[in-house]
Amino acid sequence: MACSVIRFGLGSALTLLMVIPALAQQAPIQPITPEERAQGDAANDEIVNQFGGAFIGSQNAYVEAIARKVAVKSGLSTDPKAFTVTILDSPIDNAFAVPGGYVYVTRGLLALANDEAELAGVLGHEVGHVAARHSRKRESAATRNAILAMLGQIAVGAVIKNTNVSNVLGRGIGTGSQLLTLSYSRGQEIEADTLGINYLSGAGYDSDALASMLAGLSNKTALDQRLAGRTASTPAWTSTHPEPGKRVATALERARAVGGTDGPRNRAAYLAAIDGLLYGDNPKQGLVDGSVFRHPDLRIAFTAPRGFALANGARAVSITGEGAQAEFSAAPYAGDFQAYVGSVFRSLSQKSAAPPPFELRRTRINGFDAAYATVKAAGGSGTVDATVFAIAVSPSRAYHFTIIAPNGAGLGPLMDLPGSFRALTAAEAAAIKPRFIRIVTVKKGETATTIAARMAFPDAQLDRFLALNGLAAGTVLRPGDKVKIVGY
């Protein structure tokens, strides 16, 4: 998040989804149409902004070449320059494509992939969705499924009719490609897997690569869930399938049917390309460390209760878990809490420019003036409590938590969240450093455990190392092997 503009880097793509057109599936594949190109052009800037902007680094040209090499096998265009490829400055593990020849990949996924073929497999899968014109079947279901997913853990299971869910819960309903892929049907995901494998083979890559990437995504998500104290679940990128192992096996079967399972992976070139890549959150947008969010430039921090996961993004920090969901963000403030809280409630309403009636209560949070109010949000089959908790750090700057909990629960299990907000000391802010991917060569006598001890994390170093490198527990490293670690 840049300091001149209050941005926290997490926003839902639900609104974006509405500007991406419904397209009819056709066979053979229809090339990109002028209408699709115009629609992609119109959506691109907003998509990039939702993910904290485009990442500019030494990897751009390399990744663009990989994406275009695979995308031209889709039949959408034979011209590589017809595809616009963007690395998004986001730590989440994801990639997606939209009509019009736009292909996106996060730097988080670049860090997780272990070779060029794995990256190509994921990008081929996403281009496959566009080539198969899955958007039309996806669009109506996407809105419904995303909202239900958001509310599923709150146990109301209803569409919030008068609340703009794209602002309320951010990552709780999926971010960008997560929403796009979550809303595809199982059959569409299988078709996209098949197409992606076909493109891999056609581009001359090892056709097994999509399967290994799927396995890596599943393992990484399971680790993230466990470290956050949450029940392990399938990764967002693969969650339309109930059992990731089955999807991996199916991808392997398809790869063997297509052939090319001994094709090149280009691991050495890939690792060289991502050496030095920024890893995790960008400190300029704040960092998430487990359950703690810190922003060194704004000098603020807060801590989520155990069992809740934090995700930082372009416009907010989301707090997700069982029994409640929340978002931390900022809005214009001129010293009037009544007006501030009202403006937040008003931004959530789709039906009225006026905020709902609310009773403002005042308090103090770690030396800061604060105020909060709770209103009822009506759903199709129930009601939830929506609370805005605002904290002023100066006469002209304030932040707020928007918390959604079951009817009558108030803040529910997030009761202690607002009280965790505090100022960072100058020393604490100065101690926050960015992390980077480093490629190291295994030396004689080194093991996964000894190398993992160099990971720039205070906990689960070996587990993080194994997930980052797609390695199973007990893997024996050989002298001369190249592996990834995360360092400062």
Side-chain angles (χ1 to χ4, degrees):
M1 175 181 64
C3 295
S4 58
V5 179
I6 303 302
R7 299 172 59 239
F8 287 90
L10 186 78
S12 161
L14 184 61
T15 302
L16 299 184
L17 186 62
M18 300 311 174
V19 300
I20 296 174
L23 300 172
Q25 181 176 346
Q26 298 185 24
I29 298 301
Q30 178 187 9
I32 298 170
T33 67
E35 179 184 11
E36 291 169 350
R37 183 78 66 191
Q39 291 159 341
D41 290 346
N44 178 61
D45 287 348
E46 189 175 359
I47 291 174
V48 172
N49 289 336
Q50 287 276 353
F51 281 84
F55 178 77
I56 305 300
S58 61
Q59 297 81 16
N60 286 86
Y62 177 72
V63 171
E64 182 180 76
I66 297 170
R68 287 176 167 176
K69 182 178 180 180
V70 174
V72 294
K73 301 301 177 182
S74 67
L76 290 168
S77 177
T78 58
D79 181 6
K81 293 183 179 179
F83 299 94
T84 302
V85 183
T86 303
I87 300 176
L88 298 166
D89 191 7
S90 170
I92 68 170
D93 310 319
N94 235 317
F96 59 103
V98 299
Y102 285 90
V103 182
Y104 306 89
V105 59
T106 63
R107 56 177 172 78
L109 189 137
L110 295 182
L112 184 62
N114 281 289
D115 53 54
E116 192 175 302
E118 286 192 346
L119 175 61
V122 173
L123 297 178
H125 168 100
E126 296 299 343
V127 171
H129 279 303
V130 177
R133 267 62 181 193
H134 285 158
S135 297
R136 172 168 294 175
K137 295 178 181 178
R138 180 205 64 214
E139 187 176 63
S140 61
T143 304
R144 179 181 66 254
N145 292 345
I147 298 171
L148 291 177
M150 175 187 76
L151 296 175
Q153 293 178 321
I154 305 178
V156 294
V159 174
I160 296 292
K161 293 182 177 179
N162 64 345
T163 302
N164 185 339
V165 294
S166 70
N167 289 329
V168 173
L169 293 183
R171 189 182 175 97
I173 62 171
T175 305
S177 57
Q178 291 178 316
L179 175 59
L180 294 172
T181 55
L182 276 171
S183 55
Y184 288 123
S185 71
R186 186 179 305 180
Q188 288 172 337
E189 291 287 10
I190 292 173
E191 183 179 10
D193 283 351
T194 297
L195 290 172
I197 292 167
N198 291 344
Y199 304 159
L200 268 177
S201 179
Y205 288 114
D206 187 331
S207 58
D208 276 347
L210 178 59
S212 62
M213 189 71 236
L214 287 169
L217 282 160
S218 179
N219 292 337
K220 172 65 160 47
T221 298
L223 174 62
D224 290 343
Q225 296 281 349
R226 181 167 61 81
L227 293 177
R230 303 174 70 192
T231 302
S233 64
T234 56
W237 197 83
T238 59
S239 62
T240 46
H241 293 259
E243 207 269 287
K246 183 177 180 180
R247 185 174 181 185
V248 171
T250 300
L252 286 171
E253 290 175 5
R254 177 60 188 168
R256 283 164 175 71
V258 170
T261 55
D262 58 350
R265 290 268 188 155
N266 296 349
R267 176 176 167 83
Y270 186 80
L271 294 181
I274 65 169
D275 192 11
L277 178 69
L278 180 66
Y279 184 84
D281 290 323
N282 188 331
K284 294 186 179 298
Q285 295 183 357
L287 290 92
V288 170
D289 263 327
S291 62
V292 180
F293 174 79
R294 299 182 181 91
H295 200 300
D297 292 343
L298 300 179
R299 300 272 297 273
I300 59 174
F302 66 85
T303 302
R306 179 171 176 77
F308 281 79
L310 298 179
N312 187 24
R315 297 180 181 176
V317 181
S318 70
I319 304 99
T320 58
E322 187 173 356
Q325 309 279 310
E327 182 178 271
F328 177 76
S329 189
Y333 177 67
D336 185 342
F337 273 129
Q338 187 80 24
Y340 184 94
V341 172
S343 72
V344 177
F345 278 131
R346 184 167 57 250
S347 71
L348 304 179
S349 175
Q350 293 179 327
K351 293 185 175 181
S352 172
F358 63 88
E359 178 184 354
L360 190 70
R361 299 183 180 184
R362 298 176 182 269
T363 186
R364 296 274 291 177
I365 297 293
N366 293 323
F368 297 116
D369 288 331
Y372 63 97
T374 300
V375 299
K376 301 296 182 182
S381 62
T383 303
V384 296
D385 285 353
T387 300
V388 173
F389 205 114
I391 304 167
V393 298
S394 77
S396 60
R397 175 165 290 185
Y399 305 96
H400 63 274
F401 294 96
T402 303
I403 301 173
I404 307 297
N407 183 32
L411 302 182
L414 292 175
M415 176 67 70
D416 296 332
L417 177 63
S420 72
F421 180 92
R422 66 181 183 86
L424 285 177
T425 66
E428 286 176 322
I432 296 174
K433 301 176 182 179
R435 298 184 178 106
F436 300 91
I437 289 291
R438 303 297 185 194
I439 306 303
V440 299
T441 302
V442 178
K443 298 178 181 178
K444 185 177 180 179
E446 288 187 317
T447 66
T449 300
T450 61
I451 294 179
R454 299 158 61 182
M455 294 278 284
F457 293 96
D459 63 340
Q461 290 173 309
L462 178 59
D463 290 338
R464 294 178 191 272
F465 172 77
L466 295 174
L468 182 65
N469 288 278
L471 300 175
T475 297
V476 177
L477 302 180
R478 300 169 301 178
D481 285 347
K482 302 281 188 181
V483 293
K484 296 177 287 184
I485 64 170
V486 177
Y488 292 111

